[in-house]
Structure formats: structure tokens, C-alpha cells
Amino acid sequence: TSRALGDDVGASLQTARQQADRLHGAGEISLLALLEVRQRLIDTEMTRVDATFGVSRARIRLEQAVGRPCGPR
């Protein structure tokens, strides 16, 4: 499930946060800009988690409907 949604998304989000933190630490962006970046990253992560949950829920419902496991776990 997570592979279909991008395993490297979490790493990319972490890299983006670290970059924003460095820019703020160097005085290149304001605290407000840093917080806005962090909020966008949190929103992106929430969307990814919601999508993963939706796929898992759909798979469970499909397995319940057909009465057997569907695909690898």
C-alpha cells in the first residue's frame, strides 16, 4: 500500500523541513514563513496518511466481500 503511494514521501517531507529550518536559522526566511512551510508539510503528510488508510479500508472491504485475501500483504 505505502509503495503505491510513494515510500519516499516521508523522506522528502523530512528533507523539506530540514531545508526550511536551515533557511530560518540562516536568517533567509522569517519565522512566519518557516511555520507556513511546516504547516504545508503537515497537511501533505495528513493527506498521505488519509490516502493510505483509504486504500487499506477499501482492501479490507474487498476481502470481506470476496471472502478471501486479495494480493500480497
Side-chain angles (χ1 to χ4, degrees):
T1 302
S2 64
R3 182 170 293 138
L5 298 171
D7 283 335
D8 61 340
V9 171
S12 295
L13 293 174
Q14 181 65 24
T15 300
R17 180 177 177 175
Q18 290 170 347
Q19 230 175 1
D21 287 341
R22 277 194 300 273
L23 289 171
H24 177 258
E28 295 185 34
I29 63 172
S30 67
L31 178 59
L32 178 59
L34 174 64
L35 295 175
E36 288 172 343
V37 168
R38 286 185 177 182
Q39 184 61 54
R40 284 194 303 269
L41 294 173
I42 289 168
D43 292 345
T44 301
E45 179 64 12
M46 285 178 51
T47 300
R48 188 180 72 84
V49 169
D50 286 345
T52 301
F53 176 73
V55 169
S56 296
R57 184 178 47 209
R59 182 180 183 151
I60 289 167
R61 288 181 178 165
L62 177 62
E63 290 176 349
Q64 289 173 339
V66 299
R68 62 181 176 81
C70 298
R73 292 208 171 244

